[in-house]
Amino acid sequence: MATDEQPRRRRHSPAVYRRRRLVLLIGVLAVAALVAWLLIAQPWRGAAAEASGPSPKPSSTSDGTATELPVPTAETSAATTPPADPATPDPSMTPTAKACVSSDVLVEGVTDQESYAQGQNPQFSIRLTNNGATDCTLNVGTSTQSFTVMSGEDTWWRSTDCQTEPSDMVVLLAAGQSVTSAAPLTWDRTRSSVDSCASTSRPVAGGGGASYHLSVSIGGVDSMQSTQFFLS
């Protein structure tokens, strides 16, 4: 016998619908939580910082105490120098002692030899000593340094004639402490002037046992005595 009655759809119990709605709600909450974490935590920033590496820090002693003196640089045939130490003291480590007074500071010019044979170039350094009873601060940067070579009353060479990129460096000199140049400054035995820095044909200092004198200055304090040396 034919009938027009359609098959009835199977109906689930209310518990099934509740479980489906609960699963859907949990999924929505999980997606929302992931988006919020990405916006707040921004993990890609940490990865970028790690890839770029740590920022360089200035190198200096923890209390700013001097260990050696920087070396002037010059683009000239009259002086050949190694690169100066570019380190700048950390402002948070700037010494706080009083400034040195010239009466407590001994400045000396130092040569690596007393006599130089033909073809040997003199090498100069500065030795700085705090003879005072207390620590003090002094600007020992290349902007305050000067090396001068004289023969009698004739000035043959000045390190400041062709100096490049002078800089300041305030350091702490402990009582009784003595420091010297980080590396010697080499003089090629030619006459210097501010107008001949790039020249390759400067007058050459006479030899044959001729006597010359080195005078130095640093931090506004001059050497009390010059240092004599001889050129053959």
Side-chain angles (χ1 to χ4, degrees), residues 137-220:
T137 60
L138 188 70
N139 184 354
V140 300
T142 56
S143 62
T144 74
Q145 296 185 31
S146 175
F147 296 75
T148 303
V149 174
M150 299 187 67
S151 178
E153 298 298 322
D154 185 12
T155 300
W156 259 91
W157 177 76
R158 291 189 183 92
S159 62
T160 55
D161 282 345
C162 301
Q163 183 177 347
T164 61
E165 300 181 355
S167 61
D168 295 327
M169 180 182 286
V170 178
V171 298
L172 179 70
L173 293 174
Q177 182 185 13
S178 181
V179 292
T180 58
S181 303
L185 184 67
T186 303
W187 176 43
D188 71 351
R189 301 167 65 144
T190 64
R191 184 183 293 276
S192 71
S193 72
V194 295
D195 299 322
S196 62
C197 294
S199 175
T200 58
S201 58
R202 296 184 180 189
V204 178
S211 171
Y212 294 83
H213 289 261
L214 169 68
S215 298
V216 297
S217 178
I218 186 170

Side-chain angles (χ1 to χ4, degrees), residues 42-131:
Q42 300 183 11
W44 56 87
R45 288 191 174 182
E50 183 178 355
S52 62
S55 300
K57 297 181 179 180
S59 59
S60 62
T61 57
S62 60
D63 59 358
T65 303
T67 55
E68 56 187 14
L69 304 176
V71 182
T73 56
E75 293 179 357
T76 168
S77 60
T80 304
T81 66
D85 183 358
T88 303
D90 188 332
S92 65
M93 299 177 181
T94 300
T96 57
K98 293 183 179 180
C100 299
V101 295
S102 57
S103 59
D104 288 337
V105 177
L106 176 63
V107 176
E108 301 170 279
V110 180
T111 60
D112 63 323
Q113 297 178 192
E114 292 184 358
S115 180
Y116 299 89
Q118 186 174 4
Q120 288 184 319
N121 293 331
Q123 296 188 351
F124 305 143
S125 300
I126 293 179
R127 180 163 54 230
L128 176 63
T129 304
N130 177 9
N131 288 327

